[in-house]
Amino acid sequence: MKISFIEIGGCGGCSLTFMRGSSNLPDNCEIVYFPLTLDVGEPPEETDIIFISGSVCVQDD
Amino acid sequence: MELIASLREKVKTIVSFGSCAAVGGIMRFFIRGGQEPKPWQATHLPLGQFIAPDLSVVGCPPSPQTISRLISSLSDAGKDIFNPYKKLTQKTRLSCFDLLDDVTNMQLCVGCRICEKVCPSLAIQIVDKLPEFIVERCIRCGVCYAHCPQLNKKWKKEDKGQPSLQTNLKRAE
Ligand code: SF4
Ligand code: SF4
């Protein structure tokens, strides 16, 4: 099972706690982290479940 | 945001994770000193205003136990065990006000003190067996709401005996 974790904002606490909570993954799971705040490219489209953390900032500048 | 919207079309299960994604969290509310943001201040919005998440996990941040429980149950995704998380997607303000509206004002509170114990910012005190809220301290994390056993009982009844979030959390421990 492919799991993606996308961080679109917030304080970063969700990512840390997610890493901690997912440290003992079942064998069939693979997790990919995408902190969009760091501009690391596009998350994979082939994923079974996406966790999204952070609020959506709609400020123009 | 276009990227997330395009993923919504392609990915079966999207989880709004943490209170910022679920309701806007500290970015939306706390910086206003507990007040509702004015329209021109509302620059941080919950995910649910742009796409429809399937599940919502609240907490600032959510506990590692909740995460490991969720991940180890993922093969059950879409099944009834996730009903409480689905219900939380319908809430867009999650705070002590929701607990007031849905529990205390509905005469459901039994004064169990769980909300007081789980509140990360000590914004709840039980006085005369009822929660009193220090609104200025509330960071709108929704944890008190998600953990209230009375609310979970109500959901359980609505879901005709399906496991509640309380049960899920206990199993995760
Ligand atoms: S957790 Fe629910 S039932 Fe218990 S004191 Fe708080 S509001 Fe009342
Ligand atoms: S009262 Fe406490 S637990 Fe409830 S939403 Fe506010 S900060 Fe979170």
Side-chain angles (χ1 to χ4, degrees):
Chain A
M1 174 169 299
K2 280 195 178 167
I3 302 169
S4 298
F5 185 93
I6 303 181
E7 183 187 304
I8 56 174
C11 67
C14 284
S15 308
L16 290 178
T17 195
F18 190 86
M19 285 180 206
R20 200 173 145 210
S22 60
S23 52
N24 288 319
L25 276 183
D27 288 343
N28 60 344
C29 282
E30 179 196 337
I31 295 193
V32 186
Y33 287 93
F34 275 91
L36 288 192
T37 39
L38 296 183
D39 196 15
V40 290
E42 303 225 333
E45 290 179 359
E46 279 178 24
T47 187
D48 299 296
I49 182 162
I50 298 185
F51 290 80
I52 300 178
S53 78
S55 51
V56 180
C57 180
V58 291
Q59 206 160 14
D60 285 340
D61 47 32
Chain B
M1 209 49 237
E2 292 82 30
L3 172 70
I4 305 287
S6 74
L7 288 173
R8 173 66 288 183
E9 286 163 20
K10 291 163 194 151
V11 177
K12 196 174 154 226
T13 309
I14 292 188
V15 183
S16 61
F17 186 78
S19 299
C20 285
V23 290
I26 49 170
M27 302 299 284
R28 183 179 179 198
F29 292 113
F30 190 50
I31 48 174
R32 318 283 174 224
Q35 297 173 16
E36 288 294 322
K38 303 282 182 286
W40 59 90
Q41 294 172 319
T43 50
H44 287 84
L45 301 176
L47 199 60
Q49 293 205 2
F50 300 89
I51 58 166
D54 303 287
L55 306 171
S56 187
V57 180
V58 300
C60 188
S63 74
Q65 288 89 346
T66 307
I67 296 155
S68 54
R69 164 70 187 148
L70 253 179
I71 291 181
S72 57
S73 311
L74 280 181
S75 51
D76 296 334
K79 293 192 184 156
D80 295 332
I81 200 162
F82 289 98
N83 276 357
Y85 299 111
K86 283 185 201 157
K87 285 197 184 293
L88 289 170
T89 62
Q90 290 152 22
K91 290 279 164 188
T92 53
R93 293 178 62 222
L94 278 178
S95 69
C96 54
F97 298 118
D98 279 319
L99 201 65
L100 266 177
D101 288 346
D102 294 354
V103 184
T104 52
N105 290 353
M106 301 301 282
Q107 320 289 323
L108 291 176
C109 177
V110 292
C112 69
R113 289 186 175 264
I114 287 180
C115 54
E116 186 187 49
K117 285 181 189 146
V118 295
C119 175
S121 54
L122 307 177
I124 302 177
Q125 286 171 352
I126 302 294
V127 179
D128 293 334
K129 295 194 175 168
L130 279 177
E132 279 194 0
F133 301 101
I134 305 163
V135 178
E136 303 76 42
R137 284 192 189 167
C138 175
I139 56 168
R140 315 277 180 128
C141 67
V143 168
C144 56
Y145 187 81
H147 281 72
C148 173
Q150 289 299 94
L151 197 59
N152 276 271
K153 256 190 212 167
K154 194 174 137 201
W155 286 345
K156 212 172 177 178
K157 258 192 205 161
E158 287 170 6
D159 299 339
K160 298 191 190 83
Q162 294 302 330
S164 68
L165 182 58
Q166 287 293 308
T167 321
N168 293 349
L169 290 171
K170 262 187 208 145
R171 282 185 197 150
E173 282 159 12

PDB file of all heavy atoms in Angstrom, chain B residues 68-80:
ATOM      1  N   SER B  68      -0.801   5.371  14.303  1.00  0.00           N
ATOM      2  CA  SER B  68      -0.450   3.965  14.083  1.00  0.00           C
ATOM      3  C   SER B  68      -1.703   3.116  13.967  1.00  0.00           C
ATOM      4  O   SER B  68      -1.770   2.175  13.179  1.00  0.00           O
ATOM      5  CB  SER B  68       0.492   3.434  15.169  1.00  0.00           C
ATOM      6  OG  SER B  68      -0.056   3.647  16.429  1.00  0.00           O
ATOM      7  N   ARG B  69      -2.733   3.488  14.732  1.00  0.00           N
ATOM      8  CA  ARG B  69      -4.003   2.759  14.634  1.00  0.00           C
ATOM      9  C   ARG B  69      -4.604   2.908  13.230  1.00  0.00           C
ATOM     10  O   ARG B  69      -5.031   1.949  12.607  1.00  0.00           O
ATOM     11  CB  ARG B  69      -4.970   3.310  15.702  1.00  0.00           C
ATOM     12  CG  ARG B  69      -6.415   2.936  15.502  1.00  0.00           C
ATOM     13  CD  ARG B  69      -6.663   1.473  15.748  1.00  0.00           C
ATOM     14  NE  ARG B  69      -8.017   1.102  15.400  1.00  0.00           N
ATOM     15  CZ  ARG B  69      -8.350  -0.084  14.939  1.00  0.00           C
ATOM     16  NH1 ARG B  69      -7.449  -1.010  14.777  1.00  0.00           N
ATOM     17  NH2 ARG B  69      -9.594  -0.354  14.662  1.00  0.00           N
ATOM     18  N   LEU B  70      -4.586   4.140  12.754  1.00  0.00           N
ATOM     19  CA  LEU B  70      -5.155   4.403  11.426  1.00  0.00           C
ATOM     20  C   LEU B  70      -4.405   3.635  10.348  1.00  0.00           C
ATOM     21  O   LEU B  70      -5.008   2.970   9.509  1.00  0.00           O
ATOM     22  CB  LEU B  70      -5.028   5.900  11.116  1.00  0.00           C
ATOM     23  CG  LEU B  70      -6.279   6.747  11.145  1.00  0.00           C
ATOM     24  CD1 LEU B  70      -5.939   8.178  10.851  1.00  0.00           C
ATOM     25  CD2 LEU B  70      -7.311   6.239  10.156  1.00  0.00           C
ATOM     26  N   ILE B  71      -3.071   3.716  10.408  1.00  0.00           N
ATOM     27  CA  ILE B  71      -2.278   3.075   9.355  1.00  0.00           C
ATOM     28  C   ILE B  71      -2.446   1.557   9.392  1.00  0.00           C
ATOM     29  O   ILE B  71      -2.595   0.922   8.354  1.00  0.00           O
ATOM     30  CB  ILE B  71      -0.797   3.481   9.465  1.00  0.00           C
ATOM     31  CG1 ILE B  71      -0.679   4.958   9.091  1.00  0.00           C
ATOM     32  CG2 ILE B  71       0.080   2.650   8.531  1.00  0.00           C
ATOM     33  CD1 ILE B  71       0.698   5.505   9.134  1.00  0.00           C
ATOM     34  N   SER B  72      -2.468   0.999  10.612  1.00  0.00           N
ATOM     35  CA  SER B  72      -2.595  -0.459  10.646  1.00  0.00           C
ATOM     36  C   SER B  72      -3.999  -0.909  10.249  1.00  0.00           C
ATOM     37  O   SER B  72      -4.228  -2.084   9.992  1.00  0.00           O
ATOM     38  CB  SER B  72      -2.203  -1.012  12.022  1.00  0.00           C
ATOM     39  OG  SER B  72      -2.988  -0.411  12.999  1.00  0.00           O
ATOM     40  N   SER B  73      -4.956   0.029  10.194  1.00  0.00           N
ATOM     41  CA  SER B  73      -6.317  -0.350   9.779  1.00  0.00           C
ATOM     42  C   SER B  73      -6.617   0.043   8.345  1.00  0.00           C
ATOM     43  O   SER B  73      -7.756  -0.038   7.904  1.00  0.00           O
ATOM     44  CB  SER B  73      -7.358   0.342  10.664  1.00  0.00           C
ATOM     45  OG  SER B  73      -7.057   0.197  11.991  1.00  0.00           O
ATOM     46  N   LEU B  74      -5.586   0.515   7.630  1.00  0.00           N
ATOM     47  CA  LEU B  74      -5.867   1.090   6.312  1.00  0.00           C
ATOM     48  C   LEU B  74      -6.527   0.122   5.339  1.00  0.00           C
ATOM     49  O   LEU B  74      -7.290   0.532   4.475  1.00  0.00           O
ATOM     50  CB  LEU B  74      -4.581   1.632   5.676  1.00  0.00           C
ATOM     51  CG  LEU B  74      -4.180   2.997   6.209  1.00  0.00           C
ATOM     52  CD1 LEU B  74      -2.920   3.477   5.532  1.00  0.00           C
ATOM     53  CD2 LEU B  74      -5.293   4.002   6.021  1.00  0.00           C
ATOM     54  N   SER B  75      -6.230  -1.148   5.526  1.00  0.00           N
ATOM     55  CA  SER B  75      -6.867  -2.083   4.605  1.00  0.00           C
ATOM     56  C   SER B  75      -8.377  -2.108   4.826  1.00  0.00           C
ATOM     57  O   SER B  75      -9.128  -2.585   3.986  1.00  0.00           O
ATOM     58  CB  SER B  75      -6.278  -3.482   4.775  1.00  0.00           C
ATOM     59  OG  SER B  75      -6.307  -3.818   6.134  1.00  0.00           O
ATOM     60  N   ASP B  76      -8.816  -1.535   5.976  1.00  0.00           N
ATOM     61  CA  ASP B  76     -10.260  -1.445   6.240  1.00  0.00           C
ATOM     62  C   ASP B  76     -10.861  -0.155   5.685  1.00  0.00           C
ATOM     63  O   ASP B  76     -12.019   0.125   5.907  1.00  0.00           O
ATOM     64  CB  ASP B  76     -10.537  -1.432   7.755  1.00  0.00           C
ATOM     65  CG  ASP B  76     -10.117  -2.715   8.409  1.00  0.00           C
ATOM     66  OD1 ASP B  76     -10.093  -3.725   7.707  1.00  0.00           O
ATOM     67  OD2 ASP B  76      -9.806  -2.693   9.611  1.00  0.00           O
ATOM     68  N   ALA B  77     -10.020   0.674   5.028  1.00  0.00           N
ATOM     69  CA  ALA B  77     -10.491   2.000   4.602  1.00  0.00           C
ATOM     70  C   ALA B  77     -11.821   1.892   3.878  1.00  0.00           C
ATOM     71  O   ALA B  77     -12.011   1.022   3.042  1.00  0.00           O
ATOM     72  CB  ALA B  77      -9.464   2.665   3.712  1.00  0.00           C
ATOM     73  N   GLY B  78     -12.724   2.797   4.230  1.00  0.00           N
ATOM     74  CA  GLY B  78     -14.040   2.759   3.609  1.00  0.00           C
ATOM     75  C   GLY B  78     -15.018   1.928   4.413  1.00  0.00           C
ATOM     76  O   GLY B  78     -16.205   1.974   4.188  1.00  0.00           O
ATOM     77  N   LYS B  79     -14.483   1.164   5.397  1.00  0.00           N
ATOM     78  CA  LYS B  79     -15.396   0.378   6.211  1.00  0.00           C
ATOM     79  C   LYS B  79     -15.867   1.209   7.406  1.00  0.00           C
ATOM     80  O   LYS B  79     -15.374   2.289   7.678  1.00  0.00           O
ATOM     81  CB  LYS B  79     -14.700  -0.900   6.665  1.00  0.00           C
ATOM     82  CG  LYS B  79     -14.418  -1.814   5.478  1.00  0.00           C
ATOM     83  CD  LYS B  79     -14.009  -3.180   5.914  1.00  0.00           C
ATOM     84  CE  LYS B  79     -13.658  -4.012   4.680  1.00  0.00           C
ATOM     85  NZ  LYS B  79     -12.753  -5.089   4.990  1.00  0.00           N
ATOM     86  N   ASP B  80     -16.788   0.629   8.164  1.00  0.00           N
ATOM     87  CA  ASP B  80     -17.461   1.412   9.200  1.00  0.00           C
ATOM     88  C   ASP B  80     -16.569   1.851  10.354  1.00  0.00           C
ATOM     89  O   ASP B  80     -16.920   2.749  11.099  1.00  0.00           O
ATOM     90  CB  ASP B  80     -18.639   0.603   9.738  1.00  0.00           C
ATOM     91  CG  ASP B  80     -19.672   0.397   8.662  1.00  0.00           C
ATOM     92  OD1 ASP B  80     -19.747   1.256   7.768  1.00  0.00           O
ATOM     93  OD2 ASP B  80     -20.387  -0.614   8.698  1.00  0.00           O
TER      94      ASP B  80
END
